[in-house]
Amino acid sequence: MLSSVCVNWILLVLFTGRTGSELVVIGEVGQDITVPCYYSVQSRRDITSMCWGRDRCPSSKCSQPIIWTDGWRVTEQHSSRYQLKGDLQNGDVTLTIVNAREADSGTYCCRVELPGLFNDLLSNHKVVIKKAMISTASPHTHTSEQTSAPGSTSEASSTVTRTWPSVSASEAPQTASAPCSGTSDCLDVTANLQNTSVPLPSQQLPGYGLYIGIGFCAMLLLLLILGV
């Protein structure tokens, strides 16, 4: 009984390698999600290859690999949405999922290939992508009245109406005319001017006094004759 338990434990260690604790990463749809993974680099010879895969880490390599690196640069990439933005040469192999979707939820395996038999560094991460929270509060609408400031375009373009004082036909000079607002107004003013008669000073005839004197003398002469 004890021997079978020991054998199962040894096989588990051999086929799974050194596995760290499983981390849970929670994000929202549309965000960039980072899934951390690191290994120690003391010198250039410690730089090694690694891979990221969907599902738990298998006995070797990565199941459903999504990105690979040789420790210096990315050598294989399943999609441009999966990126390694960390300092690879310092052991930062953190995975970045750009513009996360709900379908990105699941388990991810980080496998760092270390020298030695069954010596790989394994870590499983559970990623949960939720829908973005939408506020249910009703939007507030702010309405404000706009008043044109002095000197603005709307004030400058306003029409100014001027009223001319009324002038009677007898007082209106014939040599000047007031501005007309329309053709009909001009015609009315012209007609009024034409129909207006201007009184002229009476002319005295030069022989009018002579006729009066002759008539008076004739009357006196007639009276004398009748008296005789």
Side-chain angles (χ1 to χ4, degrees):
M1 180 67 179
L2 182 60
S3 60
S4 61
V5 173
C6 293
V7 170
N8 291 334
W9 181 81
I10 293 172
L11 291 176
L12 181 64
V13 172
L14 291 177
F15 285 101
T16 59
R18 294 186 298 174
T19 306
S21 60
E22 183 173 317
L23 299 178
V24 178
V25 178
I26 301 176
E28 291 185 356
V29 173
Q31 293 181 342
D32 291 353
I33 309 300
T34 57
V35 188
C37 188
Y38 306 90
Y39 69 97
S40 177
V41 175
Q42 301 297 331
S43 62
R44 293 172 61 90
R45 62 183 178 183
D46 294 331
I47 297 174
T48 184
S49 58
M50 64 82 56
C51 65
W52 278 95
R54 298 294 299 264
D55 208 349
R56 298 184 65 85
C57 298
S59 57
S60 63
K61 305 301 180 182
C62 285
S63 177
Q64 303 179 41
I66 57 177
I67 194 167
W68 283 81
T69 176
D70 59 1
W72 301 90
R73 60 185 180 85
V74 174
T75 57
E76 184 179 340
Q77 191 175 18
H78 177 71
S79 171
S80 59
R81 295 179 53 245
Y82 301 123
Q83 300 179 11
L84 300 179
K85 297 183 177 182
D87 188 352
L88 300 180
Q89 299 178 20
N90 283 327
D92 185 358
V93 289
T94 297
L95 173 67
T96 299
I97 305 175
V98 178
N99 191 18
R101 308 167 184 171
E102 284 189 271
D104 294 324
S105 297
T107 302
Y108 288 75
C109 167
C110 172
R111 187 184 197 101
V112 179
E113 298 177 336
L114 300 178
L117 186 63
F118 304 112
N119 202 28
D120 293 348
L121 179 62
L122 312 178
S123 58
N124 295 307
H125 305 271
K126 184 178 181 180
V127 176
V128 179
I129 307 298
K130 299 181 179 180
K131 290 184 179 180
M133 298 296 293
I134 300 176
S135 176
T136 57
S138 59
H140 296 280
T141 303
H142 177 70
T143 305
S144 60
E145 282 189 4
Q146 268 191 336
T147 305
S148 301
S152 63
T153 306
S154 59
E155 184 179 346
S157 61
S158 60
T159 304
V160 178
T161 305
R162 295 182 180 179
T163 305
W164 293 87
S166 59
V167 181
S168 62
S170 59
E171 295 177 352
Q174 297 181 2
T175 56
S177 60
C180 302
S181 59
T183 306
S184 60
D185 295 342
C186 290
L187 293 177
D188 293 341
V189 173
T190 304
N192 291 333
L193 290 176
Q194 290 177 352
N195 295 331
T196 303
S197 60
V198 180
L200 297 176
S202 60
Q203 296 181 355
Q204 295 182 355
L205 297 176
Y208 183 74
L210 179 62
Y211 294 152
I212 294 176
I214 293 174
F216 183 73
C217 292
M219 185 177 294
L220 290 177
L221 181 61
L222 180 60
L223 291 174
L224 289 175
I225 293 174
L226 292 175
V228 173

